[in-house]
Amino acid sequence: MPMRFWLLASWLLLAGCAAEHLAVRDDARPEREVFLPTELQDWEGWSAEGLEEAGWDIYFVASGAASEVESVMARRPPRRDRGSPSGRPAPPLLNPRPTREQRESMRRRSEDVIAVHQARTRYFEALKEAQARYPEHQGYQNHHLVPIYLGGARDGVTYRLQSAYHQAITQEFRRQWSYGSTKPNGDQLRQILLDVYSRYPIPQLIGITP
């Protein structure tokens, strides 16, 4: 009995240490999911291979269609069913199992749902923090997806955001790139957008009306 007790105690201690290590690692890990509108999907320079190597999971989303986000990371094409060895199609099963393509599709959809949920959690946390930091900012403001001072067009894509949240995003952009300095090049601008919107998701792109 004492031997079993010490084995159990040792296992619980090791499990606790592992959980604590994982929690620290997860907290230290920067968010690598970012949601952007489809208007930027054809922006010159986006590279699925380069983004995958950098560890980014990017979802280009049509406004109001966040439940159907589509990852743009490179994926292998589905394999074709070769049928039976004789060349004739195999007879249908009475209780057919999902095909490889169906399982892969379900896995991708599950990952997309998780990504949206995580982005919504980040949004509400960032919104609460922004409202506490900028209590004087009430109401709503229009936010340029690509800030004008970074080279964005004045008639470019805008989103209606809560004023404090808009202020937080503005300050994050200026932390990334000082206001009044020379405009960033294409690679620099893309990196800025990824960094800012991974921390401050645009609510309309994750199915939230602010």
Side-chain angles (χ1 to χ4, degrees), residues 83-89:
S84 64
S86 64
R88 296 190 298 272

Side-chain angles (χ1 to χ4, degrees), residues 5-201:
F5 171 80
W6 284 112
L7 287 174
L8 178 60
S10 299
W11 182 86
L12 290 174
L13 178 62
L14 289 173
C17 292
E20 182 178 358
H21 172 70
L22 289 174
V24 171
R25 185 179 64 183
D26 288 343
D27 291 341
R29 174 185 178 275
E31 299 298 344
R32 307 302 290 178
E33 299 87 14
V34 60
F35 290 80
L36 297 173
T38 52
E39 288 85 350
L40 293 183
Q41 188 164 3
D42 296 327
W43 202 4
E44 182 179 357
W46 289 116
S47 167
E49 293 78 10
L51 294 169
E52 186 174 18
E53 291 176 0
W56 286 99
D57 291 327
I58 300 190
Y59 297 85
F60 287 112
V61 185
S63 298
S67 60
E68 299 177 359
V69 294
E70 179 181 359
S71 173
V72 298
M73 305 310 297
R75 290 183 174 139
R76 297 177 183 176
R79 294 183 179 180
R80 295 183 179 180
D81 186 7
R82 299 180 181 273
S84 64
S86 64
R88 296 190 298 272
L93 300 176
L94 295 178
N95 187 20
R97 296 180 179 178
T99 64
R100 182 189 299 271
E101 290 77 14
Q102 289 172 332
R103 291 196 301 271
E104 180 67 13
S105 176
M106 288 187 288
R107 183 187 67 80
R108 293 175 186 173
R109 184 170 293 276
S110 176
E111 290 177 351
D112 290 346
V113 170
I114 292 173
V116 171
H117 175 73
Q118 292 174 337
R120 289 175 177 174
T121 299
R122 290 201 302 276
Y123 167 73
F124 285 117
E125 290 176 350
L127 175 62
K128 182 178 180 180
E129 180 182 344
Q131 290 173 329
R133 186 186 306 174
Y134 307 108
E136 71 280 6
H137 286 262
Q138 303 292 327
Y140 296 87
Q141 294 176 326
N142 287 329
H143 167 70
H144 280 84
L145 182 74
V146 181
I148 297 174
Y149 88 98
L150 294 179
R154 290 190 177 275
D155 59 349
V157 177
T158 61
Y159 291 94
R160 183 173 180 267
L161 302 178
Q162 199 278 333
S163 182
Y165 192 73
H166 180 232
Q167 180 68 11
I169 290 181
T170 299
Q171 293 305 316
E172 181 63 21
F173 268 113
R174 295 186 179 185
R175 189 183 71 82
Q176 295 276 343
W177 196 268
S178 299
Y179 187 83
S181 57
T182 58
K183 290 181 173 56
N185 61 35
D187 291 337
Q188 291 170 329
L189 180 56
R190 280 185 288 274
Q191 187 61 50
I192 293 170
L193 295 177
L194 293 174
D195 287 338
V196 172
Y197 291 125
S198 64
R199 294 178 173 87
Y200 294 94

